[in-house]
Amino acid sequence: MAGPSISPEIDRLIALLARLPGLGPRSARRAALHLLKAPDKLMTPLASAMQHAAESIETCSVCANVDSSNPCNVCTAPGRDKRSICVLQDVSDLWAMERAGAFRGTYHVLGGTLSALDGIRPEDLNIASLIRRVGTGEVDEVVLAMNATVDGQTTAHYITEHLEKTGVKITRLSHGVPIGGELDFLDDGTIAAAMKSRRAV
Amino acid sequence: MAGPSISPEIDRLIALLARLPGLGPRSARRAALHLLKAPDKLMTPLASAMQHAAESIETCSVCANVDSSNPCNVCTAPGRDKRSICVLQDVSDLWAMERAGAFRGTYHVLGGTLSALDGIRPEDLNIASLIRRVGTGEVDEVVLAMNATVDGQTTAHYITEHLEKTGVKITRLSHGVPIGGELDFLDDGTIAAAMKSRRAV
């Protein structure tokens, strides 16, 4: 990848870096060179951080979060409301929710969305385990926080149908104008949704 | 970085990944998640490739290339013309030159360009070692292949001045229309340079 007469160690490093999302062949070469120029300050620490993470991180058997303990830190935290479950597409959404600090319940990571196009069926996602968790009767509210995309909403609809008979309260995130958002840059659907659910000041 | 109640192992991985060029906080989180989802297929191999590279790669004492041997594979290759030296700004330029396969001589990596703005002086670059290499009398031609930027050309000028008295032949890459380039998308300077050095068909 870096050319002939380039050492195979460097070629292998570039090839593996190029498999990271967001890095193409050119940026992988740039990243490799950056690492090679800082072997002690960056490359070795990053290598050991990866090795350490690969050995210690597992998937939570309750909510499918990734963490160094199983069940994860969120599921076992004493201060969190276990009667409220926020359902998310992916671990990255869980991280986003935690950064926002807007939810003090527990989570359930589906691992994707239903998709006819990509052949993702309900049994490919962590839906059965969600239905089991709700079925114990120890849950009061399920917040559906899938992305506001067609696949996300299809998945929310599917889950709603399967949870309705349990009598659990099902909610979803509100739609509207993002904080700091300008109307002129917003799509029509968002403006319409914000108008429809307008509130008294 | 990923939020509270996220394991410190993951936080550390994200923080280190964010120090790679081309990765901001968001893409570092995405890369970390991608790694965490493929511990055996990507994270462990990448960790060991980095560890291996950190231990085996050194800077060539002749040309400042990075390689697993010192002097590097290019400097020691029997088929390469040691009487011809191509001077480059960085190792990434050496890789680009090797990918193009357009040069069968040896290289000299400066490690940057002179820059009044950034305070880069001649003694901060591998210029003295280049002058020493040429001074042995074992070099016929020096190809200056710095970038066609102000700093690159200033550096080329500086090196030319210091090598002129040795009587070595000094050349530079030609300017012109890139292969596949469209005139309409080219800057005026390049078009003017291409016109000035036009050749009979």
Side-chain angles (χ1 to χ4, degrees):
Chain A
M1 297 240 335
S5 55
I6 301 304
S7 83
E9 287 89 348
I10 296 178
D11 258 353
R12 180 163 167 72
L13 180 62
I14 294 172
L16 286 167
L17 284 170
R19 285 172 55 192
L20 291 178
L23 287 184
R26 175 180 297 268
S27 43
R29 286 197 296 268
R30 223 172 116 225
L33 198 57
H34 190 84
L35 287 167
L36 288 167
K37 283 178 180 173
D40 299 331
K41 285 200 171 157
L42 185 54
M43 188 148 60
T44 308
L46 184 53
S48 72
M50 281 184 192
Q51 197 56 55
H52 197 60
E55 284 159 9
S56 67
I57 301 295
E58 17 181 1
T59 300
C60 175
S61 54
V62 177
C63 74
N65 182 17
V66 289
D67 201 2
S68 47
S69 60
N70 179 14
C72 75
N73 276 320
V74 178
C75 285
T76 55
R80 302 195 70 126
D81 180 8
K82 281 164 199 63
R83 304 193 69 84
S84 182
I85 297 179
C86 177
V87 184
L88 301 152
Q89 285 183 207
D90 212 339
V91 175
S92 55
D93 300 321
L94 190 157
W95 292 352
M97 199 58 88
E98 283 296 291
R99 282 198 305 280
F103 184 68
R104 300 306 299 162
T106 56
Y107 295 103
H108 196 87
V109 178
L110 295 178
T113 54
L114 298 176
S115 168
L117 217 62
D118 299 332
I120 312 284
R121 296 155 307 167
E123 52 268 40
D124 299 322
L125 303 175
N126 302 318
I127 291 181
S129 56
L130 172 66
I131 293 171
R132 262 200 310 279
R133 278 179 83 182
V134 175
T136 59
E138 291 167 6
V139 178
D140 295 329
E141 180 180 5
V142 172
V143 185
L144 299 177
M146 272 68 84
N147 291 342
T149 58
V150 172
D151 283 345
Q153 294 312 301
T154 306
T155 311
H157 189 78
Y158 179 89
I159 292 174
T160 305
E161 269 189 343
H162 280 74
L163 289 184
E164 257 172 356
K165 55 181 171 289
T166 65
V168 74
K169 181 179 170 193
I170 304 175
T171 55
R172 64 160 182 78
L173 298 185
S174 68
H175 294 308
V177 183
I179 304 296
E182 298 179 37
L183 287 193
D184 196 22
F185 288 90
L186 273 181
D187 65 297
D188 302 347
T190 303
I191 293 182
M195 178 57 78
K196 212 165 133 191
S197 54
R198 64 189 180 277
R199 300 170 51 179
V201 183
Chain B
M1 295 242 337
S5 56
I6 302 304
S7 82
E9 287 88 350
I10 297 178
D11 258 354
R12 181 164 164 73
L13 179 62
I14 294 172
L16 286 166
L17 284 170
R19 286 172 54 192
L20 292 177
L23 287 184
R26 175 179 296 268
S27 43
R29 285 197 297 268
R30 222 170 116 224
L33 198 57
H34 189 84
L35 287 168
L36 289 168
K37 283 179 181 173
D40 300 331
K41 283 199 173 158
L42 185 53
M43 188 146 61
T44 307
L46 183 54
S48 73
M50 279 184 193
Q51 197 56 54
H52 196 62
E55 283 159 9
S56 68
I57 301 295
E58 17 181 2
T59 301
C60 174
S61 54
V62 178
C63 75
N65 183 16
V66 288
D67 200 3
S68 48
S69 61
N70 179 14
C72 74
N73 277 322
V74 178
C75 284
T76 56
R80 302 196 69 127
D81 181 7
K82 280 164 199 63
R83 304 195 69 81
S84 182
I85 297 178
C86 177
V87 184
L88 300 152
Q89 285 182 206
D90 211 338
V91 175
S92 55
D93 300 322
L94 189 157
W95 292 350
M97 199 59 88
E98 283 296 291
R99 281 197 307 279
F103 184 68
R104 300 306 300 161
T106 55
Y107 294 103
H108 196 86
V109 178
L110 295 178
T113 55
L114 298 176
S115 168
L117 217 59
D118 298 331
I120 312 285
R121 297 155 306 165
E123 52 268 38
D124 299 323
L125 305 175
N126 302 317
I127 292 181
S129 56
L130 172 66
I131 294 172
R132 264 200 308 280
R133 278 178 82 182
V134 175
T136 59
E138 289 166 6
V139 178
D140 294 331
E141 181 181 2
V142 172
V143 186
L144 300 177
M146 271 67 83
N147 291 342
T149 56
V150 171
D151 283 345
Q153 295 311 302
T154 306
T155 312
H157 189 79
Y158 179 90
I159 292 175
T160 306
E161 268 188 343
H162 281 75
L163 289 182
E164 256 174 355
K165 53 181 173 287
T166 66
V168 74
K169 182 179 167 191
I170 304 173
T171 56
R172 65 162 180 78
L173 299 184
S174 68
H175 294 308
V177 183
I179 305 295
E182 299 179 36
L183 287 194
D184 197 20
F185 289 90
L186 274 180
D187 65 297
D188 302 347
T190 303
I191 294 181
M195 178 56 79
K196 209 166 136 191
S197 54
R198 64 188 181 276
R199 301 171 50 177
V201 182

